[in-house]
Structure formats: C-alpha cells, structure tokens
Amino acid sequence: MVQLRSLFEAGESAWIIGEQYADVPGLVREETLECLQMVLPDGVRVPDSDIEIVKLADTNAEEMEALTTLAFPGFFRQRTCAMGSYYGVRSPSGELIAMGGERLKLEGFTEISAVCTHPAFRGRGLAAAIIWQVVREHRKEGVVSWLHVASTNRRAQELYLRMGFEEIRRVTLHRVSRGA
C-alpha cells in the first residue's frame, strides 16, 4: 500500500475495498462507504422496454460526469466511460437525464455501474430500462451482471430487489487520496 501513494496526483482519490483500512503514510482516508454487493441470477427474465436508449461514447464523458456528480458524486470521472459500455436516455431537448454502464470486468462477471437519473426525471422507469439494456448485453456475452449499492441508498436497493437482484454480501469501501 505504501507504493499506492506514488500513483496519485495531487487532488486525486480512489476507492479501496476492505473491511479494515491500514493507515498508510502519505495517504488520507477521506470517507468510508458501506455497500451491498448484488447479483442478478440467470433465471431472471429480461423484460422489453419502449424507452429509447442511446449508446454513449467517450465524446459524452463531460455530460456523463456532470449527471453522476448531480445524482451521486464521486464515483465517475472523465475516463470512467473507457472501462465498458454505457447507455443513456435523453430528454426531448437532448439533455442526458439517465445513464448506466459497466465498470469492473472479472472472468464471467461484469459490474453494472454509474446508474443514475436526474432528480427531475426520477420515477419514470429510466434507470430500470438502462439496467435491462446492460443486462441484455451481458447475457449475449455470457457474463453474470452484478453491482454495488450504498447501504444507505434504500431507493436503489428496492429497485434492484424488484428487478430480481439478490444481495450476496456487504463490503466496505474507503476513499483515499494523496496527502500533502
């Protein structure tokens, strides 16, 4: 972990998973987040949707970061979209109002991440439609869909449970940054 400090530039932070956090000289623990890790069983049927979903690209990074910062700050950066496929929903005026995609890819498992909806457009099924789009792609690839959700985010947890996701375990994340 001591070598980890050398990977950070000033003002940069990252999340480290682990029940315990060992203090490391030169790194500052900024916050701790308890999360549920959830998985979607193979037997869950993927419904059709009539919501128009668009594929997002690196050229959309700025508006993707702005939306995630508004909805759930700290987990999406300009280059996060390079980690996987991302999808979105636009308002009639063209504004990105909901999105989600992929982040961690492990053998046989791909994480659904950055699912968020602009507060003015919540409750319309946009997040679920995007999640189902990501799941469709995962099923084509033969991978299992999984995700993390903050233990305090009851609204998202309830959505995921209604969709058929199951809690596998609880994990602790620590956001760390390079000290002065």
Side-chain angles (χ1 to χ4, degrees):
M1 289 256 302
V2 175
Q3 295 170 335
L4 183 60
R5 182 185 188 279
S6 69
L7 299 175
F8 287 92
E9 292 184 20
E12 213 173 24
S13 66
W15 291 90
I16 297 174
I17 192 169
E19 296 307 313
Q20 302 296 319
Y21 174 76
D23 286 325
V24 176
L27 289 182
V28 176
R29 180 171 43 171
E30 296 182 5
E31 64 182 300
T32 298
L33 181 66
E34 301 295 326
C35 292
L36 307 180
Q37 205 171 67
M38 302 180 85
V39 66
L40 186 66
D42 284 340
V44 174
R45 187 184 75 74
V46 178
D48 294 327
S49 173
D50 58 355
I51 294 173
E52 185 179 345
I53 297 172
V54 297
K55 181 125 170 134
L56 300 172
D58 291 351
T59 56
N60 305 112
E62 191 172 306
E63 63 182 329
M64 293 165 74
E65 185 177 20
L67 178 58
T68 57
T69 298
L70 175 67
F72 193 69
F75 282 91
F76 196 91
R77 306 269 177 12
Q78 284 281 319
R79 298 279 303 132
T80 302
C81 56
M83 298 178 83
S85 297
Y86 281 84
Y87 301 90
V89 175
R90 296 194 176 278
S91 70
S93 66
E95 174 189 12
L96 183 64
I97 57 172
M99 64 168 276
E102 305 169 323
R103 187 174 44 193
L104 298 176
K105 292 185 179 214
L106 308 170
E107 189 172 328
F109 298 85
T110 302
E111 181 190 26
I112 296 172
S113 183
V115 175
C116 59
T117 303
H118 188 289
F121 294 90
R122 289 185 180 149
R124 301 178 188 192
L126 305 179
I130 290 169
I131 292 167
W132 289 129
Q133 175 62 38
V134 175
V135 169
R136 275 187 209 89
E137 295 302 320
H138 288 175
R139 296 232 170 128
K140 287 179 194 172
E141 296 168 12
V143 298
V144 175
S145 302
W146 63 287
L147 53 81
H148 289 103
V149 60
S151 62
T152 56
N153 191 344
R154 297 297 306 155
R155 185 178 180 134
Q157 288 174 38
E158 289 167 5
L159 169 64
Y160 302 147
L161 289 169
R162 280 194 313 271
M163 294 176 77
F165 282 85
E166 297 175 355
E167 180 182 337
I168 299 302
R169 68 182 181 146
R170 292 180 179 258
V171 296
T172 304
L173 303 174
H174 306 276
R175 188 161 66 102
V176 298
S177 64
R178 184 175 174 171

